[in-house]
Each structure stands twice: as structure tokens, then as C-alpha cells.
Amino acid sequence: MRDLVRRTTAATPPDRDRALDALRALAILGVVLGHWLVTALVADSGTLRVESPLGHLPAFTPVSWVFQTLAVFFLVGGYVAARGHAAARARGERYGRWVAARLGRLFRPVGPLLLLWCVAAVGMLGCGVPWRTVHTLGKLVLSPLWFLLVLAALTAATPLVARLHPLWPFAVVVHVDLIRFGLGGPEALGWLNLPAGWLVPYCLGALLARRGPVGPAAARALLLCGGAAAGLLVAFAGYPGSMVGVPGAPVSNLNPPTLAAVAFGVAQCGGALLLLGPLRRALRRPVAWTAVALLNLCAMTVFLWHQTAMIAVTGGGLLAADLLGHGPLTGLHTVPDASAWVLARLGWLPLFAVALLVCGAVFHVYERGTGRARARARAREAAPVPKPRPEPRTETRHA
């Protein structure tokens, strides 16, 4: 363990902002824990269907405020992409090469997931598993991939949006929701908010990369104004209280993003900016930094495989219960309509984590890429940034 900590610390560039890596790690953990807590696979007449405790237990709604952390991920993504593109331009690297490298790192781990689930779906159908169950499991695994598609699109558009002020996409969200909910406009119009809503934190991150850090007063303003706006919209404008989708609900704050979700994301960004200072101080400790660095090295693997890990434990538990003549296991296969389910689900989380560790051990290699690709990436990062040529002086002679 000491050797791992020593090697991680030695491999970290001295100018790396460790707090940004910590924010990314917290965002990934929020998504994973959020999905594990608000997703229930209910066994019903030989099939599995998805239900959410948020639909049965309204008091559980604040959980979605804590674990819906996508805005923080887009904030960090915008910051890193804007700085990375600026550095690539300074090195003389072409846009095509830069974006191909970034999108390659983003999508390379997706292939094994798709291949495994295609094989699993064919196998399950061949073994007589009902189509409804196969569809439910496939949708559960593949639906989070929308996040990668949006992030990839924004990353590719970084040269265009890096200088876009966050208020512009925010204004788009305001007008879309006004037409959609206030004037009875078409529901399909809401999908304009899919890029516009996530452009708000992404452009905020790019703005920070361009202009430098904001002070605590500005971060507190984002936190308070965004939180107050989200609260007022939920309390008086009819927006759902949950910041994630709830099966069967008429309106989702996340699919597509609503003004309430975007305002809540602004508040999250403000809170994240306030955390930068404490995180930097905490991550001076080698052990803490090693934990954050290791999670960042396998962040995409964790994101892609966490639903598969939950499904593996749920399916294994269902088979074991059938073999032992036991009924559906509370917190794993039962309807999430009581506090007993919540307590039982908390007890299942360690098994989900173990299954995810197994998935990570098997599939992390695809996120790391080949040794040659890693060497090229290190060479690009280590390449010196050329200094701009000084402008020729123009002397002015005075009579």
C-alpha cells in the first residue's frame, strides 16, 4: 500500500489541480450510488420490471438532490476540455487529432459493454427469458449512455462553445420551458434542453478555464440563487421535487432537463466551487490523493458497469432464492414501498460494490488503452508549449 501511495504521488505533476479530480470522483460516486438507491428490479410473475422508491416514498426525494451530480461532471468536463484544447493549439496540434484522442478515451470502454450485453440478450432469449425482462435489463444498462453522447457532442464543440457565456444556454432553457409548460407548446420542444441544459455547467467550466477561479462570494451566489430558483420552481411552478426521473411520473426533471434541474445544477456548481479550497487542503495527504487518483483512472469503467453489477447481484439473488425455495428478497426483488426496503437496500450496497470491483478488474484494461496509446498521450502532455513570438516593435520618432 505504501509503495502504491508513493508511486501515485511521484507520478502526479506538481501543477495538477487535485481538487478537480476529486470533484469528478464525487460526481461519479454520486451517479453510481444514486442509481443503486433509486432503482429497484421487482420480480413479478416470472419477469423483472423497474420501479423507484421515489414513486412510493415521497420522503425519499431529498436523496435525488444529493446524488444527482451530473452538473458537477459537466462543470469539470468543460474546464478540462477548454484548457486541453487551448494547450493543444499552443502546441500546434490540429483539432482533429485532439478531438479524436479525447473521444477515443471516452468511447473505447463502451465496446466491451455493448458486446457483452448483445451476447447476454441473445443467450437469455434463447434460454426462454421473457422479452419484457430482457428489454428491462438492456434499457437499464444502456440508458445511462445518453450522458456519454451529450458529453462527446459538447467536447467536439469545445472550440465553438468555450467562449459562450453560460447565460445564453440558460436563456434557451428558460424560453423552452416557458413555451412548453406555460403556453402549452409541443412536448418534443423540450429536447432542445438536452444540449442547452448541460451547456450551462459546461460553459461555466470553460469560463473558469478562460478567466481563472471565482471568489467565494460568486460561488455562494451561484449556490444560493440556483437553489432558491429550483426551490421556487418546485414549490410554485409545478415542477417535480425529484431531480431524477421517476417511472410513471408525467414530468421528469432530467429527461429532458427542465429549468428546475438546470437551476439546481447551477447551485451544485456553486457548492462545488466552494469545495475546491477544502479539497485541495485535504488532498495534500498522499493516501487521500491516491484514492482519488485511482478512482479517476477507472471512472468510465465504474460508470459503464455499475448497473451491470447491480443486475448481477439481483439476478444471482433471484436464482439463489428460487433454489432455496425462498420468496423475493427484500431490498432486492420487492416493491420499494416501505422504509424496510430502504434499510435492506443499504445492506445490499456492499455486494453491489464487490460486483463492480470484479467488473472493474476485468474490463478496466479497455479504459487504459494500449501501451503505445498511453505513451503517445504522455508524450503529447509532456510536449513543451511553444512561447508566442513577440510582436515587432514600432519605433516612433519625435521631431
Side-chain angles (χ1 to χ4, degrees):
M1 181 64 182
R2 290 181 180 178
D3 184 55
L4 175 63
V5 172
R6 192 181 304 111
R7 286 189 286 112
T8 303
T9 304
T12 304
D15 59 342
R16 187 175 186 89
D17 192 342
R18 301 181 179 188
L20 291 175
D21 292 289
L23 288 180
R24 185 190 292 113
L26 290 173
I28 288 292
L29 288 178
V31 170
V32 171
L33 290 175
H35 282 162
W36 285 353
L37 288 172
V38 303
T39 305
L41 280 169
V42 178
D44 181 20
S45 303
T47 64
L48 290 175
R49 71 175 191 274
V50 174
E51 289 203 24
S52 172
L54 300 176
H56 298 275
L57 304 169
F60 203 47
T61 298
V63 171
S64 70
W65 307 343
V66 176
F67 293 108
Q68 202 285 77
T69 51
L70 289 174
V72 177
F73 202 99
F74 279 103
L75 173 77
V76 177
Y79 182 91
V80 172
R83 291 201 63 179
H85 180 252
R89 287 187 63 186
R91 292 193 301 266
E93 184 176 334
R94 292 183 178 180
Y95 163 78
R97 184 178 180 184
W98 173 81
V99 75
R102 292 195 67 86
L103 296 187
R105 290 196 297 269
L106 193 63
F107 283 109
R108 187 168 49 237
V110 177
L113 178 75
L114 297 179
L115 179 61
L116 182 143
W117 272 98
C118 284
V119 173
V122 172
M124 286 187 289
L125 291 173
C127 293
V129 176
W131 164 250
R132 180 183 175 184
T133 295
V134 176
H135 179 266
T136 296
L137 298 181
K139 184 177 180 181
L140 197 62
V141 170
L142 299 180
S143 58
L145 296 185
W146 71 263
F147 162 77
L148 295 185
L149 296 176
V150 175
L151 182 60
L154 297 186
T155 299
T158 296
L160 298 177
V161 303
R163 294 188 174 275
L164 185 67
H165 197 281
L167 285 177
W168 288 109
F170 188 84
V172 172
V173 175
V174 171
H175 285 84
V176 166
D177 272 24
L178 179 62
I179 296 172
R180 181 184 172 197
F181 297 122
L183 303 178
E187 289 293 321
L189 187 66
W191 291 105
L192 289 176
N193 282 352
L194 186 60
W198 300 119
L199 263 174
V200 174
Y202 192 89
C203 290
L204 179 58
L207 182 67
L208 297 176
R210 188 169 71 250
R211 297 187 179 178
V214 299
R220 280 193 292 268
L222 290 174
L223 173 62
L224 296 176
C225 293
L232 291 173
L233 289 168
V234 169
F236 301 107
Y239 285 85
S242 172
M243 290 300 152
V244 299
V246 179
V251 177
S252 168
N253 270 326
L254 200 58
N255 190 30
T258 63
L259 180 59
V262 174
F264 183 76
V266 170
Q268 281 189 321
C269 291
L273 295 176
L274 288 174
L275 280 176
L276 287 176
L279 285 174
R280 289 186 183 112
R281 291 190 291 272
L283 293 174
R284 292 171 186 164
R285 301 171 183 173
V287 174
W289 166 239
T290 299
V292 169
L294 291 178
L295 181 55
N296 272 273
L297 286 174
C298 59
M300 286 306 306
T301 303
V302 170
F303 175 78
L304 290 172
W305 291 94
H306 73 280
Q307 295 285 58
T308 300
M310 183 187 72
I311 291 171
V313 174
T314 303
L318 191 60
L319 291 175
D322 287 343
L323 290 175
L324 297 175
H326 195 283
L329 301 175
T330 303
L332 206 59
H333 315 121
T334 55
V335 177
D337 57 357
S339 57
W341 184 94
V342 178
L343 294 175
R345 173 51 64 102
L346 293 175
W348 288 108
L349 293 185
L351 280 182
F352 293 171
V354 170
L356 182 56
L357 285 174
V358 173
C359 292
V362 174
F363 296 103
H364 173 50
V365 63
Y366 297 99
E367 182 171 2
R368 295 182 61 199
T370 63
R372 184 178 299 178
R374 293 197 300 272
R376 285 198 302 264
R378 285 195 296 267
R380 283 197 302 270
E381 293 175 359
V385 178
K387 296 181 180 181
R389 295 180 179 178
E391 297 181 1
R393 294 183 178 180
T394 303
E395 296 184 0
T396 304
R397 294 185 178 181
H398 298 275

